[in-house]
Amino acid sequence: MVNQEDIFKKVISHAKEYGYVVQSSEIYDGLSAVYDYTQNGAELKKNIKEYWWKAMVQMHENIVGIDAAIFMHPTTWKASGHVDAFNDPLIDNKDSKKRYRADVLVEDYVARIEAKIDKEVQKASKRFGETFDKNQFLKTNPRVLGYQEKAESILKRLGRSLEAEDLADVKNLIEELEIACPVSGSKNWTDVKQFNLMFGTKLGASAENATDLYLRPETAQGIFVNFLNVQKSGRLKIPFGIAQIGKAFRNEIVARQFIFRMREFEQMEMQYFIKPGTQIEWYEKWKELRMKWHLSLGMGEENYRFHDHEKLAHYADAASDIEFRFPFGFKELEGIHSRTDFDLASHEKYSGKKLQYFDPELNQNYVPYVVETSIGVDRMFLAVFSNSLKEEELENGTTRIVLKIPAVLAPTKAAVLPLIKKDGLPEIAHKIIDDLKWDFNVIYDEKDAVGRRYRRQDAAGTPFCITVDHQTLEDETVTIRHRDSMEQMRIAVSAVNETIANEVAIKHWLKKME
Ligand code: ATP
């Protein structure tokens, strides 16, 4: 546990030190759960968005992208259910005065049971060695079965109570499980209350006739209200999708996990409009496609899993999360939801406008069903960043810190380094940069010995270093060094561009989805 916390602390301090993420308004002691992306972070974030956009919009003939406003007519949020139902159940510990999400307290308790199962598996795997059959063990070991049953029954009860809005029972559950406040260790809890997560603001100059507005808590509604505009102007036929990347705002109760849970964050969402009755088929299809997208980045299959929801949101008839192994355990990275016709039907009702599709094959009108894929840019950033940060033991006994960001997402693709600062080497390095900068983000670095520069670029996540030395003057070759393998090769200056392109091109990575 301590170890995991240490790793997470290292992730946060590395993000600051290497120009990725800092607390917002840090000079004023920061703003809780709000963060700024600095020079490298801004590039990584942009690359993540591009990787998603290309996979979703450019690679699908029937998916288009939009960019809707953050402010929306306030009735939108009545229709979407956010005014009445976008609540989190909160509970306070009377001794520490700390506030928690009641469901998260219970889920953390279950995560500890699951950790016990993992431990049993590890122990048994050591004991049985090569003959160990994990699936068989999980199905038959009495202790593991006991843990599993307990975890399942707790989650079922939590799901049932939340569904029925029986907040008293959520509190009972916390008391029965004897869950203590992680800060004070006390079990002295208040009642569970609902708390609306939307930020409100006002539109208009004078107080009397100002309109109450909300900062959007999700980007999806900007897609729903534009469903017909896009369908008609694009003459789109069902099934088709509308994608969007943009900011969303939530007044989160628990906001302690760096950029995992922020109050201002960014989402990449796609709503797929389909014929009613085909939703389960499409839901399964999008689960599969989205998992493939994640796996294409090569961050380890074992770091992802699906978590199907027990408790469904008010709009959903099936929902699953893609969870990722963050430094603090498996947590939601992306949601895939079958939203039925809830949103469009509700907007029809509140706006009085028809939001229907004429299906030429069936010769009839209907309100389409929707399957949504929704991923947080910042969570994806944290997944990539935390998974990439490694401390490696080298053969000569030293260690190196390296940020193995998938090359396609790396902020800077190459650093060009003159071996020394004279003999015309800097001039050649600049000439190489002048050629590369048309295609890639590249930087020049001449300070310190070349070994130190390599380490600096490793830690910053730069996949290639190009070193210009005296041999370059003679035969127009340079050394190209790979960040991950530390392998060095001599190649012609004229081949540098193509060598980098082969490894950073989006096409090369997205092809792995096929
Ligand atoms: P959680 O249960 O973690 O609060 P959620 O189920 O409310 O998340 P959704 O409403 O499904 O999340 O939002 C879709 C995606 O948006 C999430 O999978 C996540 O990646 C991202 N997201 C949601 N809330 C936040 C937040 N406060 N900060 C950063 N990303 C977020």
Side-chain angles (χ1 to χ4, degrees):
M1 214 51 194
V2 176
N3 203 1
Q4 278 193 333
E5 256 171 46
D6 277 356
I7 291 172
F8 193 35
K9 274 193 195 141
K10 277 191 187 151
V11 166
I12 296 170
S13 65
H14 197 88
K16 180 173 175 186
E17 195 181 336
Y18 284 88
Y20 280 86
V21 187
V22 295
Q23 178 121 58
S24 156
S25 343
E26 199 190 57
I27 58 167
Y28 296 104
D29 295 333
L31 194 57
S32 154
V34 187
Y35 291 88
D36 294 340
Y37 291 91
T38 41
Q39 66 278 32
N40 285 323
E43 294 289 342
L44 171 55
K45 199 174 173 209
K46 188 170 65 61
N47 294 344
I48 289 173
K49 290 193 268 187
E50 194 184 358
Y51 196 64
W52 183 87
W53 191 269
K54 288 246 153 97
M56 299 298 275
V57 179
Q58 190 170 321
M59 297 306 294
H60 289 102
E61 253 177 70
N62 64 343
I63 300 182
V64 295
I66 67 165
D67 185 9
I70 287 171
F71 289 143
M72 298 186 70
H73 192 284
T75 310
T76 308
W77 307 110
K78 272 305 269 181
S80 69
H82 283 82
V83 172
D84 297 318
F86 193 52
N87 301 314
D88 273 346
L90 69 85
I91 190 165
D92 293 292
N93 183 269
K94 289 184 193 162
D95 298 312
S96 66
K97 310 273 183 255
K98 288 278 176 207
R99 177 159 282 186
Y100 299 92
R101 259 174 64 179
D103 55 335
V104 171
L105 281 181
V106 176
E107 279 164 9
D108 285 350
Y109 181 90
V110 170
R112 286 196 292 276
I113 301 180
E114 282 167 352
K116 285 185 190 162
I117 298 178
D118 280 349
K119 242 195 201 131
E120 292 292 334
V121 170
Q122 277 170 18
K123 266 200 316 208
S125 143
K126 247 193 216 146
R127 193 157 10 107
F128 294 111
E130 279 189 4
T131 59
F132 181 60
D133 178 344
K134 185 174 163 190
N135 285 336
Q136 176 79 5
F137 180 78
L138 286 175
K139 271 194 231 138
T140 52
N141 180 277
R143 195 172 295 161
V144 166
L145 288 176
Y147 286 142
Q148 274 169 355
E149 202 179 296
K150 186 165 179 199
E152 270 167 32
S153 89
I154 294 172
L155 286 180
K156 273 225 169 79
R157 168 141 166 228
L158 178 69
R160 265 201 317 270
S161 319
L162 289 174
E163 193 86 60
E165 299 233 2
D166 185 353
L167 299 181
D169 191 55
V170 177
K171 183 178 180 188
N172 288 342
L173 183 59
I174 288 174
E175 286 179 336
E176 280 167 35
L177 297 173
E178 301 193 7
I179 295 177
C181 165
V183 174
S184 65
S186 109
K187 296 169 196 156
N188 193 8
W189 296 108
T190 61
D191 285 343
V192 178
K193 285 184 294 243
Q194 292 288 21
F195 174 80
N196 193 289
L197 299 181
M198 281 196 294
F199 281 106
T201 185
K202 295 211 181 285
L203 176 94
S206 65
E208 307 87 71
N209 48 26
T211 312
D212 283 318
L213 286 189
Y214 294 107
L215 298 184
R216 66 179 177 198
E218 62 175 26
T219 56
Q221 299 305 323
I223 294 178
F224 293 129
V225 299
N226 280 303
F227 155 72
L228 263 195
N229 289 333
V230 175
Q231 188 269 324
K232 290 217 160 111
S233 57
R235 281 184 261 133
L236 299 170
K237 287 207 177 68
I238 270 179
F240 71 90
I242 306 180
Q244 171 164 230
I245 300 178
K247 288 268 175 139
F249 304 82
R250 296 182 187 179
N251 198 359
E252 298 280 1
I253 305 168
V254 187
R256 285 194 274 271
Q257 283 166 319
F258 192 41
I259 55 172
F260 180 81
R261 193 175 297 288
M262 301 155 91
R263 298 206 161 100
E264 173 180 343
F265 59 101
E266 211 164 351
Q267 290 185 313
M268 307 189 277
E269 297 198 301
M270 192 279 299
Q271 311 294 330
Y272 204 66
F273 298 90
I274 55 176
K275 199 162 85 184
T278 62
Q279 66 267 31
I280 292 306
E281 189 187 313
W282 283 112
Y283 166 73
E284 294 298 342
K285 181 84 196 152
W286 278 108
K287 272 176 76 174
E288 183 195 322
L289 275 176
R290 291 304 304 148
M291 186 59 101
K292 277 192 179 160
W293 181 82
H294 286 285
L295 296 180
S296 72
L297 288 168
M299 300 202 298
E301 211 164 321
E302 68 287 359
N303 292 321
Y304 300 86
R305 69 181 189 196
F306 282 112
H307 169 242
D308 295 332
H309 283 211
E310 290 282 339
K311 181 198 179 228
L312 293 173
H314 58 275
Y315 51 75
D317 73 351
S320 185
D321 297 335
I322 293 178
E323 295 189 335
F324 184 76
R325 197 197 300 265
F326 287 99
F328 36 83
F330 271 104
K331 290 271 186 244
E332 171 176 347
L333 169 59
E334 167 156 11
I336 293 119
H337 308 128
S338 169
R339 292 181 80 124
T340 68
D341 60 355
F342 173 84
D343 301 271
L344 290 179
S346 185
H347 284 305
E348 269 201 330
K349 194 169 113 202
Y350 278 86
S351 68
K353 310 262 161 45
K354 270 208 168 348
L355 294 177
Q356 299 192 356
Y357 171 79
F358 176 74
D359 192 324
E361 274 164 34
L362 299 177
N363 199 24
Q364 92 185 44
N365 283 305
Y366 57 75
V367 178
Y369 268 43
V370 170
V371 170
E372 157 185 89
T373 72
S374 172
I375 171 168
V377 180
D378 314 87
R379 269 190 206 179
M380 184 63 195
F381 186 112
L382 182 58
V384 171
F385 192 86
S386 60
N387 188 259
S388 301
L389 184 59
K390 314 267 187 220
E391 198 172 318
E392 285 183 351
E393 300 256 347
L394 301 180
E395 274 169 15
N396 63 8
T398 60
T399 56
R400 69 159 181 163
I401 305 283
V402 51
L403 197 56
K404 292 185 164 174
I405 297 179
V408 63
L409 302 180
T412 306
K413 304 303 185 200
V416 184
L417 324 170
L419 187 65
I420 53 171
K421 275 187 259 181
K422 51 183 189 190
D423 302 340
L425 304 186
E427 288 73 13
I428 299 179
H430 281 299
K431 251 179 79 188
I432 293 175
I433 287 190
D434 281 343
D435 171 48
L436 294 179
K437 73 184 178 194
W438 293 91
D439 298 305
F440 320 106
N441 229 345
V442 286
I443 57 161
Y444 175 81
D445 188 3
E446 62 171 23
K447 200 171 167 289
D448 301 322
V450 79
R452 298 227 1 220
R453 280 181 268 167
Y454 285 155
R455 288 288 177 278
R456 193 152 61 224
Q457 295 305 328
D458 285 347
T462 312
F464 295 102
C465 285
I466 316 291
T467 307
V468 176
D469 56 17
H470 291 94
Q471 195 182 326
T472 314
L473 298 171
E474 288 162 23
D475 63 5
E476 295 198 7
T477 62
V478 286
T479 304
I480 185 161
R481 174 186 179 273
H482 284 69
R483 175 196 65 196
D484 298 351
S485 63
M486 298 195 293
E487 243 174 63
Q488 302 190 15
M489 270 176 5
R490 197 89 208 169
I491 61 170
V493 170
S494 58
V496 170
N497 195 314
E498 201 187 332
T499 307
I500 297 175
N502 281 343
E503 287 196 40
V504 307
I506 287 189
K507 181 175 174 181
H508 166 79
W509 291 77
L510 277 185
K511 278 244 172 208
K512 295 180 194 164
M513 284 182 70
E514 283 177 353

